[in-house]
Amino acid sequence: LVCLLTKFLPSSWYFAMYGAVKLEASNILEYSHAASFATEANLSGLVPDLMEMSAAEADHERYFYEKTVSHKLSHYIPIWRK
């Protein structure tokens, strides 16, 4: 559905960016949890890479968030974070 919206509606890239913000926010938590689990499993060698991936996801979230709030629909549809 999102693919169809972004193809046929003007300025509909907003919906793809809106979903990407939520997805990236979830990914940040997933990598952070994975780092915690790696620590508990005595796999501390994995923690730096997992935290680096979490930081990359935070950068992605920031990018998509900034794109989303720049759209006029952001005044009408609430964003996850401010």
Side-chain angles (χ1 to χ4, degrees):
L1 179 62
V2 171
C3 292
L4 291 174
L5 287 174
T6 58
K7 186 172 183 179
F8 298 111
L9 294 177
S11 298
S12 58
W13 57 264
Y14 174 81
F15 297 107
M17 295 290 173
Y18 187 85
V21 172
K22 180 65 174 172
L23 179 65
E24 296 297 336
S26 175
N27 289 346
I28 294 167
L29 292 175
E30 292 293 326
Y31 284 122
S32 296
H33 289 148
S36 295
F37 297 145
T39 300
E40 291 174 15
N42 292 323
L43 298 170
S44 57
L46 298 175
V47 173
D49 291 334
L50 291 167
M51 295 310 295
E52 183 178 334
M53 288 187 274
S54 181
E57 296 297 335
D59 290 340
H60 298 160
E61 182 204 18
R62 191 175 310 106
Y63 171 79
F64 291 125
Y65 176 80
E66 289 171 1
K67 286 293 192 181
T68 302
V69 298
S70 73
H71 195 281
K72 61 187 172 192
L73 285 177
S74 68
H75 301 292
Y76 306 103
I77 300 173
I79 305 295
W80 283 278
R81 70 173 178 92
K82 292 197 182 222

